[in-house]
Amino acid sequence: MDRHKAAVTQIASTVRSYFARREPYRIFHGSTNSTRPRPSTRAVDISALRNVLSVDPARRVALVEPNVPMDKLVEATLPHGLIPPVVMEFPGITAGGGFAGTAGESSSFRHGFFDETVERVEMVMADGEVVRLMEARKFVKTRYRRTRSVAEAVEIIREEVRKGNDYVDGILFSKDHGVVVTGELTDEMPEGRTPQTFSGAWDPWFYLHAKNKTAPEKGEEGSAPVDYVPLAEYLFRYDRGGFWVGAAAFEYFKFVPFTRFFRWFLDDFLHTRMMYRALHGSGESARFVVQDIAMPFETTEKFVDYTSSELGIWPLWLCPLKRRGPPTFHPFTTLPEGVEKKEDDMMLNVGVWGWGPSEPAAFVQKNRELENKVRELGGMKWLYAHTYYPQEEFWPMYGGRGWYDDLRKKYNAETLPSVWDKVHVDPAEAGAKKRHWLKKQKPLGGFYGIYKSIQSKDYMLHRKAQWKWKGE
C-alpha cells in the first residue's frame, strides 16, 4: 500500500496545481480501447495505478486500482474461486474504463453494467475501486442456438434472458443466419467431452467457431450444439480476432489469405491489445466504424435493416442489457411514438464494427446519418467512439445539462472539460483532415501500425497470461 499511497499523493499534488491555476486537463491512463482521436493537452498521469491491491474471499470483494485490466483481475480472483460478475470480453479493458465507460457484457442482462458491481469508488483522485465478486466455476456450458432471421434472433434473446442462464449474447452473420450464445456456469463436464478453448494460436476464433457450429448445411446437428469452455477462456473468448475486427486486417493486407494457417502464424498481432495499437498507429481508425448502439428490442430489426443497406457491415453483435433511465450518461432507450412496448427493463446493444468510407468527409457523413437513425429509432450510442453531435443535439438527449452542471459545481469540477468536450469529434475538422501521405499508401500505413504495436510489446501479455487453460 505504500507504493499506492505515494502514487496517489503525486496525482493529488498535480490535480491541486491545475485546480489552483484554473486550468483544464485530461487523464492519461497509459492505454485506451477508444477509437476517438487523442487530443494533445495537459494531462494527469495515472498510469502507475495498475495493481490489484487485495482480494477478500470472505467478503467477496477486490480492491483494485483503476488501470487494472480484466485479465489481471481475473488472474487475481480465480485462485480464490471468485470472478467479477461482469467481465469485459477484451482482456485489456480496465476496471476504471469499465466503470466510467458503461461496460456491458453478456452477463449484464443479469448483473447490469460493470459499474453496478462496484461497491465503492474513491473519486477525488480516482485512486482505487472496490469490486464485488461472485463464485467461480470450472466451465461454462455453452450452447449455440441457430436463428434464421433478425426477428427470430431478437425474440430468442428475449426468451433466453428469462431462463437460468449466466451469459447471453448473439451474433448476426447475415439476415438469415445468426446464433444466440448462452452460457451456464458449471463444475461438471460429461465424461468423454474435451474442453473447447479459444486462447491458443491454433484454436478457432470464437465467432468463426460459432458460425461453423450452426452452419445451415449442418441441419438439425447445427440447431443447438453445446461446448464446455473453461471459465476464463469463455470470458475472453472474443480476444483473438477482436470479435471479428481482425478479419478486416486481412482485407487490408489483401495478399495475406484469411486461412487458419495465417491466423496461427500471425497470432501475436491478432489480439485486441495489439490491434488497438496498430489501428491507431496506422491511422486507419479514422475510417473504421466502431460503434456500440443501445436499441429497444422493438426497433432492433429496423436498425439492422438500416446498417445492412447503408453500411453493409456484418457480422453484428447483440448483447442484452438492463436498461437504466435518466438522468445518466449511460446509454438508455426511448421507444418511438406508435411502437408497441414489449420490454420495460431491457435493451439490446448492437455492435457495429467494420470499414466505413475511405474519404474523411464521406466517413463523417455516414456517421452523422447513423446518429440520426439511432435517435429516430429510440436508441443511443456509447460515448467511447466517434461522436459528432453538436451541443444543441447532445445535451437534450440526456435531459439537458442542468443536473450535470449542478454536479460539476458541487464537486469543484467546473474547470474540467465537460463530457461533450471529451467525446465530441468536430465534423468539419474531421471531414477536412488529411492523413500523412505515407499512411495513406497501402500497405505502408498498415506496416507502420504493426511496427508501433510491436514497440509496445503487448504481445508478451498474452504469451505470459496465467488465465489460459492448461488442463485440470
Side-chain angles (χ1 to χ4, degrees):
M1 288 295 290
D2 289 344
R3 182 214 56 81
H4 171 78
K5 290 177 180 177
V8 170
T9 299
Q10 177 60 50
I11 291 167
S13 175
T14 304
V15 169
R16 217 174 283 119
S17 66
Y18 283 138
F19 182 76
R21 298 193 298 271
R22 309 291 291 176
E23 293 179 346
Y25 60 87
R26 301 290 182 98
I27 303 296
F28 174 71
H29 307 276
S31 65
T32 182
N33 282 279
S34 171
T35 58
R36 289 195 309 269
R38 302 175 183 178
S40 299
T41 185
R42 61 184 70 83
V44 175
D45 186 347
I46 66 167
S47 59
L49 298 178
R50 57 179 182 272
N51 298 286
V52 178
L53 301 178
S54 66
V55 176
D56 186 335
R59 295 177 53 228
R60 294 188 177 185
V61 295
L63 180 63
V64 305
E65 294 177 323
N67 291 316
V68 172
M70 287 296 101
D71 53 357
K72 296 305 178 186
L73 180 55
V74 169
E75 286 177 0
T77 62
L78 268 182
H80 301 282
L82 300 169
I83 55 166
V86 178
V87 177
M88 288 73 88
E89 276 99 343
F90 290 176
I93 297 178
T94 62
F99 178 84
T102 314
E105 307 302 340
S106 59
S107 61
S108 290
F109 73 95
R110 180 183 293 273
H111 301 289
F113 295 118
F114 179 80
D115 66 277
E116 294 178 72
T117 72
V118 177
E119 291 190 350
R120 177 169 54 85
V121 179
E122 295 175 320
M123 292 290 292
V124 176
M125 62 285 290
D127 61 349
E129 300 174 355
V130 179
V131 180
R132 177 166 41 88
L133 305 175
M134 72 179 195
E135 190 173 357
R137 293 286 189 265
K138 287 183 180 179
F139 303 105
V140 178
K141 181 182 178 182
T142 307
R143 184 183 182 210
Y144 308 87
R145 192 170 170 184
R146 184 171 62 209
T147 65
R148 295 169 178 82
S149 70
V150 177
E152 183 185 13
V154 171
E155 186 57 37
I156 288 178
I157 288 176
R158 179 185 282 114
E159 174 188 322
E160 292 291 351
V161 298
R162 284 164 172 73
K163 296 181 180 179
N165 293 301
D166 295 295
Y167 304 98
V168 177
D169 69 326
I171 305 171
L172 292 175
F173 304 105
S174 66
K175 287 188 177 182
D176 56 8
H177 181 196
V179 57
V180 174
V181 184
T182 59
E184 297 177 53
L185 291 163
T186 179
D187 284 322
E188 305 299 327
M189 182 172 63
E191 188 174 348
R193 296 294 299 262
T194 56
Q196 175 63 57
T197 58
F198 300 104
S199 64
W202 193 250
D203 287 340
W205 287 6
F206 180 77
Y207 92 96
L208 293 174
H209 179 73
K211 185 177 184 180
N212 179 60
K213 296 278 276 191
T214 60
E217 58 267 23
K218 295 205 170 181
E220 190 60 30
E221 177 191 349
S223 61
V226 173
D227 281 330
Y228 286 81
V229 184
L231 176 55
E233 297 275 343
Y234 185 88
L235 296 176
F236 302 126
R237 64 198 181 280
Y238 287 115
D239 176 45
R240 293 177 58 249
F243 283 89
W244 36 85
V245 171
F250 288 84
E251 294 175 21
Y252 178 91
F253 294 102
K254 295 182 182 296
F255 52 86
V256 182
F258 186 61
T259 63
R260 188 174 185 181
F261 171 80
F262 281 100
R263 291 194 294 272
W264 165 79
F265 183 70
L266 298 170
D267 185 68
D268 274 344
F269 305 102
L270 295 170
H271 295 264
T272 49
R273 283 184 172 104
M274 290 290 282
M275 287 193 292
Y276 271 113
R277 299 277 190 183
L279 190 64
H280 281 292
S282 67
E284 292 299 322
S285 60
R287 69 181 191 95
F288 203 82
V289 177
V290 181
Q291 299 283 356
D292 281 90
I293 313 293
M295 291 300 301
F297 273 70
E298 296 85 348
T299 59
T300 295
E301 186 176 8
K302 289 184 179 179
F303 180 67
V304 173
D305 286 341
Y306 171 82
T307 60
S308 175
S309 63
E310 298 300 320
L311 297 173
I313 292 176
W314 298 98
L316 300 173
W317 190 48
L318 302 178
C319 185
L321 306 168
K322 285 184 177 180
R323 180 188 180 277
R324 182 189 295 177
T328 179
F329 285 116
H330 288 302
F332 59 90
T333 54
T334 305
L335 204 61
E337 187 175 345
V339 176
E340 181 184 357
K341 179 184 289 189
K342 296 181 180 179
E343 287 291 336
D344 286 321
D345 59 346
M346 300 291 292
M347 60 187 186
L348 271 177
N349 174 11
V350 182
V352 184
W353 316 310
W355 291 116
S358 58
E359 290 301 316
F363 181 85
V364 171
Q365 180 63 29
K366 279 294 182 186
N367 273 272
R368 283 296 286 145
E369 291 171 3
L370 176 67
E371 290 177 342
N372 290 334
K373 179 57 68 171
V374 168
R375 292 184 66 192
E376 175 189 324
L377 295 176
M380 188 174 285
K381 292 169 49 170
W382 264 255
L383 296 179
Y384 72 82
H386 290 232
T387 303
Y388 300 92
Y389 299 109
Q391 295 208 54
E392 58 269 22
E393 288 183 28
F394 180 84
W395 293 111
M397 291 166 50
Y398 298 95
R401 62 177 296 170
W403 63 273
Y404 174 63
D405 285 338
D406 288 344
L407 286 173
R408 284 165 60 85
K409 184 175 182 180
K410 179 178 179 179
Y411 292 104
N412 295 316
E414 293 170 288
T415 60
L416 299 182
S418 71
V419 169
W420 183 83
D421 293 325
K422 181 177 180 181
V423 306
H424 180 66
V425 178
D426 182 79
E429 184 178 324
K433 188 173 183 179
K434 303 297 182 184
R435 294 171 63 198
H436 190 281
W437 69 268
L438 184 63
K439 291 185 179 182
K440 289 177 65 175
Q441 308 304 312
K442 287 187 178 182
L444 296 182
F447 281 128
Y448 182 74
I450 291 173
Y451 164 71
K452 297 298 288 184
S453 68
I454 292 172
Q455 275 190 319
S456 73
K457 297 185 178 180
D458 279 352
Y459 57 88
M460 295 301 298
L461 295 173
H462 183 77
R463 287 189 186 181
K464 296 179 178 180
Q466 296 302 303
W467 57 264
K468 293 187 287 187
W469 177 252
K470 301 176 179 65
E472 296 281 1

